Amino acid sequence: LADLGSGILHWSVDNYGNGRTPIMGNIIAAFQGHHSAPWTITQREFGNNVHKLCIPFGLPTMALISTLAGPENGSVTLFFTVFCALEILSQEFHKWSHMTKKEVPSWVNSLMDIGLTIGRVPHAQHHIAPYDGNYCIVSGLCNKSLDESGFFRRLEHIVYNLNGIESNAWKLDAKLRARTLRGEYRLEN
C-alpha cells in the first residue's frame, strides 16, 4: 500500500498546485522542479532529501493516528507507522533510482534487483514528458496496473469535473487531455 500511497502523492504534486500552495507548496515545487533538473536529487544528503515528506507523514500525523486508533488498536498504529516511514523513505528510494550502480552501496542495488525499491529503468519511464505515469516510487510494483487501468486519468477527469482545474500533464499533452475527456483513460505506450 505504501507504493500506491507514494504514487497518489507523486501524481497529485506533479499535477496540481505550485510553490505557493499552502502547507504542501515546498513539496509541490520540489517535485515539479525535479522534472527539469532530475540529477539534483542525487546531490542531496539523506535529511535534506526526505525532510519535506515529514510534513504530511511525520510525527504529528503519527501521533494523531495513534490517538484516534487508541491503545486497543496497536496494529492500526503499527500499520500506519510502517506506511508513513515508507512514504518518507520513498524520496530516498527515488534518489537511488537516479544514481548509477557504482554510486550506491551494493545492498541498495540488491534491493532494486529484487523489487523492494524502485529501479532505475522503471523510474526513468516517468521522466518522459508529459510525466503522465509511473508515479509510484517505493517499489514501483503498482505502476503497471495503475497506468493500464487509467487510474490517474480517471482522477484527473474527476478533479476537472469538480473544479475545472486541468492537470499539468494535460497542459503538456493536448492529446492526453482530449483522450481523458473522452473517457479513454489507459495510457498509450
Side-chain angles (χ1 to χ4, degrees):
L1 286 176
D3 196 45
L4 173 63
S6 74
I8 292 171
L9 175 72
H10 191 175
W11 163 81
S12 67
V13 298
D14 267 9
N15 284 288
Y16 299 100
N18 58 46
R20 295 180 310 277
T21 301
I23 301 172
M24 298 290 284
N26 286 336
I27 295 171
I28 293 168
F31 271 79
Q32 291 177 5
H34 174 67
H35 292 145
S36 60
W39 64 90
T40 60
I41 193 173
T42 66
Q43 299 167 356
R44 295 185 199 138
E45 295 295 326
F46 175 79
N48 185 30
N49 191 34
V50 304
H51 80 278
K52 290 178 183 174
L53 289 178
C54 291
I55 295 168
F57 299 110
L59 291 176
T61 300
M62 287 312 311
L64 178 63
I65 290 170
S66 182
T67 300
L68 292 173
E72 66 279 358
N73 292 309
S75 59
V76 172
T77 300
L78 177 61
F79 170 82
F80 281 104
T81 299
V82 172
F83 178 87
C84 289
L86 287 171
E87 292 305 316
I88 292 167
L89 289 172
S90 72
Q91 191 63 359
E92 193 70 4
F93 303 158
H94 179 204
K95 177 176 95 176
W96 296 338
S97 75
H98 284 278
M99 299 172 80
T100 67
K101 286 187 174 197
K102 292 180 181 178
E103 293 174 317
V104 298
S106 60
W107 61 268
V108 169
N109 290 318
S110 296
L111 290 175
M112 285 184 187
D113 290 344
I114 61 176
L116 288 179
T117 63
I118 185 75
R120 293 170 185 88
V121 172
H123 182 63
Q125 295 169 345
H126 171 73
H127 281 274
I128 300 168
Y131 319 106
D132 58 356
N134 293 292
Y135 291 109
C136 301
I137 57 172
V138 171
S139 65
L141 292 175
C142 294
N143 282 326
K144 183 176 180 180
S145 60
L146 291 173
D147 291 345
E148 287 181 357
S149 70
F151 178 79
F152 293 112
R153 302 297 75 77
R154 290 175 198 274
L155 289 180
E156 289 168 1
H157 203 171
I158 290 167
V159 168
Y160 180 75
N161 285 338
L162 289 173
N163 61 24
I165 297 175
E166 296 184 7
S167 77
N168 287 337
W170 289 13
K171 294 171 188 172
L172 293 172
D173 187 343
K175 291 179 183 177
L176 176 67
R177 179 187 185 276
R179 285 194 316 268
T180 302
L181 291 175
R182 286 193 306 266
E184 299 169 15
Y185 300 126
R186 284 187 66 160
L187 282 183
E188 293 182 346
N189 292 334

